[in-house]
Amino acid sequence: MEVLIQGTISALGYLEDGVYYQEPDCYETIRDLIRFLRTDNNLLLARKICGERNIIENDLIPIIKSDDLKDNMFDITLRLLANLTQPAIVSLQGKQPEDRDEWQTYWTLEENLRRAKLAFADVKFFAVLKKKLEKYFMETDWEDRLEEDRLVMERIIVLLRYIFSISPTEGDGRRTAAESNSHDRVIMAFLESGIDKVLTHIAMQSKEQEFHLSIMVIFALILKEHKPADIASAGRGRTQAEKEQAEEELRQVVETEKAKLNAKRRKILASRHPRFFGSYVVKGLSAVNKEKDLVVLKPLKDVNELTFQAERKRQKTIAKNRRPFDAELKTHLSSMELRFKLKECLEEDLSRCFNRMMKSSREMAFDTRLSAGQKNADMYFFLLMRFMLEYTRLAGRPSSIVSVCLPVESFHHIQVHLDNYLESAAALNKEAKSFGLRAQHALSAYKELILFHLHLLDKGSPEEKEFAKRTCYHILTVEEYREMGIVLIRKFKV
């Protein structure tokens, strides 16, 4: 079977001088690869081979960028590309790996996706997708749209969601502050192509609600590694206080790295046999034999630190369902050019469709019947909500662009789902980390919602102050909202 798949991949065509030359039976070959993926075994052999040969970068993307590409060829190539780009957890039917073989398969698929990620940092590739979306959503009347074309549009939007779901590459961890990582390069190509404006147009249309959830996830994935404060401050010079703060943060990072390095060295020394440290005599302290002084096998800075029962004491352990979740959000500082483009995207595009998009995708994001590829939609809903609230507050934008998130119903919505996440994390051990991450995003959105109302009370217009005053009064009146912080602290009290 492996030889057959390898031969099929070799029959696609070849890339030479930036031009892809298709074999005469390239269309049938892609159909065969789709069939191999559909009938793949438990170890996902066909998917592994396609990833190892990196046909995403070497064949599929060049085919899509080809001039005068026929519609049927574009459709079949898009189907295979979306299939191969789906996250590894989706390929495993949405189930977490359990045994060794499943984990090995999972990490192999993840590595293959990371290797192909930089291939999507191509403006021409996104421009081709943009042209297809524009032709269907902006140039074709509703009565003239065909169902086959609508399926192609769904695949394009799903492909965009899969592209931004790919985890960071191995080289991203070794980048300097002046370099752009793979995610930033893909975002830059995405914004330069102008496809974000087409997605904004789709999100503004009430009759295209079935696409709103995927578009919401795409914007959340684009913004998840950035801080709202960095984007809000893009395009203006830094003040002296900001420069001093940046220097202080850099100094703290250096000290933290030094502390980690020293701890690692001490750990290596501690693993050695204690006889290598030598032996020491404690004068004036009798051993078991009263006629001799006590001998210890490690150096002591203070005799009062000498204990005999410290190693015998049983270490206090905390139950797994009472441990704080390790859900730190990884962010980084992108280049000024990218931050400026993201700011333009937020100001011109996302602010125009945010209210409608969030309102229409709220129920869909928390639907338990979602497929494996969309099961994290609720987490991205809270992430985008928190990001836009904080950005609007820091940039001094009017509260009308996020008005859908401000009513009392938003507090109730977050509080209900936060309780569900915490209960699920305590009951389901295998998925505790996943629910803990969801709880982290929900709590961050709740916190930012409170800060936004305080901002309205401080700097809002008279109408905004009155609205925030009524909302805050309701929060302080209802016991569930008022004591939620205390309940969480008690729940995870060490």
Side-chain angles (χ1 to χ4, degrees):
M1 186 65 181
E2 181 177 355
V3 177
L4 180 60
I5 298 173
Q6 294 279 9
T8 305
I9 294 175
S10 301
L12 287 171
Y14 61 94
L15 182 66
E16 184 177 350
D17 297 332
V19 180
Y20 192 85
Y21 297 93
Q22 304 175 21
E23 294 293 342
D25 55 349
C26 183
Y27 182 85
E28 289 75 14
T29 303
I30 294 179
R31 291 188 61 181
D32 291 338
L33 288 176
I34 294 176
R35 179 169 53 85
F36 291 149
L37 293 174
R38 186 170 57 249
T39 60
D40 210 353
N41 55 19
N42 295 332
L43 297 179
L44 304 178
L45 178 63
R47 190 174 297 275
K48 287 181 181 178
I49 296 175
C50 291
E52 291 171 358
R53 293 287 297 270
N54 200 3
I55 67 172
I56 293 178
E57 179 178 0
N58 299 329
D59 298 283
L60 300 183
I61 292 180
I63 290 176
I64 288 183
K65 295 192 302 180
S66 300
D67 298 330
D68 300 328
L69 187 66
K70 296 181 180 180
D71 291 340
N72 61 342
M73 191 64 192
F74 176 85
D75 185 17
I76 197 72
T77 307
L78 180 66
R79 286 176 57 190
L80 180 57
L81 182 58
N83 194 331
L84 292 176
T85 314
Q86 68 183 15
I89 194 68
V90 179
S91 302
L92 297 175
Q93 308 300 324
K95 299 178 182 178
Q96 185 178 359
E98 296 181 357
D99 56 13
R100 178 182 177 183
D101 294 336
E102 290 183 354
W103 275 111
Q104 187 175 8
T105 300
Y106 175 82
W107 290 117
T108 301
L109 297 179
E110 280 288 316
E111 182 61 29
N112 293 337
L113 288 175
R114 293 192 194 103
R115 192 186 308 117
K117 184 174 183 178
L118 279 176
F120 293 105
D122 193 324
V123 179
K124 186 177 180 180
F125 169 74
F126 285 113
V128 174
L129 302 183
K130 173 194 173 184
K131 186 177 180 181
K132 295 289 183 179
L133 292 173
E134 281 184 337
K135 183 178 179 181
Y136 181 83
F137 288 104
M138 304 176 70
E139 299 176 4
T140 306
D141 295 333
W142 179 267
E143 297 80 7
D144 299 332
R145 295 178 181 178
L146 301 177
E147 185 63 26
E148 294 79 6
D149 295 336
R150 192 170 188 83
L151 291 176
V152 175
M153 299 305 111
E154 290 180 2
R155 294 190 185 105
I156 291 176
I157 295 178
V158 168
L159 174 62
L160 293 175
R161 190 177 76 238
Y162 286 165
I163 290 173
F164 291 108
S165 299
I166 301 176
S167 55
T169 61
E170 184 179 354
D172 291 341
R174 300 190 296 267
R175 61 181 283 272
T176 63
E179 295 176 334
S180 297
N181 61 12
S182 59
H183 199 68
D184 289 346
R185 296 180 187 179
V186 176
I187 294 174
M188 180 65 75
F190 175 85
L191 296 176
E192 288 182 352
S193 67
I195 194 174
D196 57 306
K197 294 178 172 56
V198 183
L199 295 181
T200 301
H201 173 78
I202 300 173
M204 292 174 59
Q205 306 300 318
S206 59
K207 55 187 176 182
E208 308 292 353
Q209 289 189 7
E210 60 182 287
F211 298 103
H212 289 183
L213 179 62
S214 295
I215 294 175
M216 183 272 295
V217 174
I218 291 172
F219 282 124
L221 289 170
I222 290 174
L223 299 171
K224 71 173 183 177
E225 294 186 3
H226 298 86
K227 295 181 180 179
D230 295 335
I231 298 180
S233 61
R236 61 177 178 85
R238 294 193 302 175
T239 61
Q240 185 63 28
E242 291 176 344
K243 293 180 180 179
E244 293 177 356
Q245 182 181 0
E247 293 177 358
E248 179 65 21
E249 291 177 355
L250 180 60
R251 186 183 62 81
Q252 292 179 359
V253 169
V254 173
E255 291 180 354
T256 303
E257 291 297 327
K258 287 183 179 180
K260 290 181 180 179
L261 183 60
N262 293 334
K264 186 177 181 180
R265 290 174 178 173
R266 286 195 297 268
K267 187 176 181 180
I268 295 175
L269 292 175
S271 63
R272 301 175 65 186
H273 197 278
R275 267 62 175 178
F276 288 117
F277 291 113
S279 57
Y280 303 87
V281 178
V282 182
K283 292 293 185 180
L285 185 61
S286 300
V288 177
N289 186 353
K290 296 182 179 180
E291 298 179 357
K292 296 182 179 180
D293 293 329
L294 179 67
V295 177
V296 295
L297 300 177
K298 59 181 180 180
L300 294 174
K301 294 182 180 180
D302 189 358
V303 180
N304 296 326
E305 296 179 357
L306 181 62
T307 58
F308 300 97
Q309 295 182 351
E311 298 178 356
R312 299 181 182 179
K313 290 182 179 179
R314 186 175 181 180
Q315 298 293 330
K316 182 180 178 181
T317 59
I318 306 172
K320 289 184 178 180
N321 59 355
R322 294 184 63 85
R323 296 176 187 173
F325 296 109
D326 184 13
E328 183 180 359
L329 303 179
K330 296 182 179 180
T331 58
H332 68 277
L333 183 63
S334 302
S335 63
M336 180 60 71
E337 182 183 4
L338 178 59
R339 282 182 285 154
F340 189 74
K341 287 184 176 295
L342 283 174
K343 185 175 182 179
E344 290 182 345
C345 176
L346 291 176
E347 295 283 350
E348 300 178 5
D349 300 334
L350 195 54
S351 59
R352 293 162 48 199
C353 66
F354 180 77
N355 285 329
R356 181 179 293 278
M357 180 178 64
M358 297 295 282
K359 184 177 180 179
S360 59
S361 61
R362 175 178 294 177
E363 294 184 2
M364 294 186 290
F366 297 91
D367 191 348
T368 56
R369 297 170 296 178
L370 289 175
S371 61
Q374 293 181 326
K375 70 173 186 176
N376 292 329
D378 54 345
M379 182 175 65
Y380 294 126
F381 180 89
F382 287 132
L383 189 151
L384 186 60
M385 176 181 175
R386 187 267 310 170
F387 190 97
M388 286 300 295
L389 285 172
E390 185 175 355
Y391 174 81
T392 305
R393 176 171 60 86
L394 296 177
R397 298 283 291 163
S399 61
S400 58
I401 65 176
V402 292
S403 59
V404 72
C405 301
L406 300 181
V408 177
E409 290 77 7
S410 297
F411 287 93
H412 174 73
H413 182 257
I414 297 176
Q415 196 261 342
V416 169
H417 287 286
L418 180 59
D419 291 342
N420 292 337
Y421 294 151
L422 295 177
E423 292 175 1
S424 300
L428 305 174
N429 293 332
K430 292 184 178 180
E431 301 180 6
K433 187 174 182 180
S434 174
F435 284 108
L437 186 59
R438 285 174 165 82
Q440 172 73 15
H441 284 288
L443 188 60
S444 299
Y446 194 92
K447 168 192 169 185
E448 190 54 45
L449 198 55
I450 294 176
L451 292 177
F452 195 89
H453 280 82
L454 293 177
H455 169 73
L456 293 181
L457 288 174
D458 185 27
K459 300 181 180 180
S461 62
E463 294 79 8
E464 292 175 338
K465 289 182 179 180
E466 182 63 25
F467 171 79
K469 186 177 180 180
R470 292 197 307 268
T471 306
C472 293
Y473 176 78
H474 181 79
I475 295 172
L476 295 176
T477 304
V478 180
E479 182 179 359
E480 287 79 3
Y481 304 144
R482 185 178 65 246
E483 299 185 358
M484 189 182 71
I486 300 176
V487 172
L488 291 177
I489 293 174
R490 289 176 178 174
K491 186 177 183 64
F492 296 101
K493 184 178 180 181
V494 179

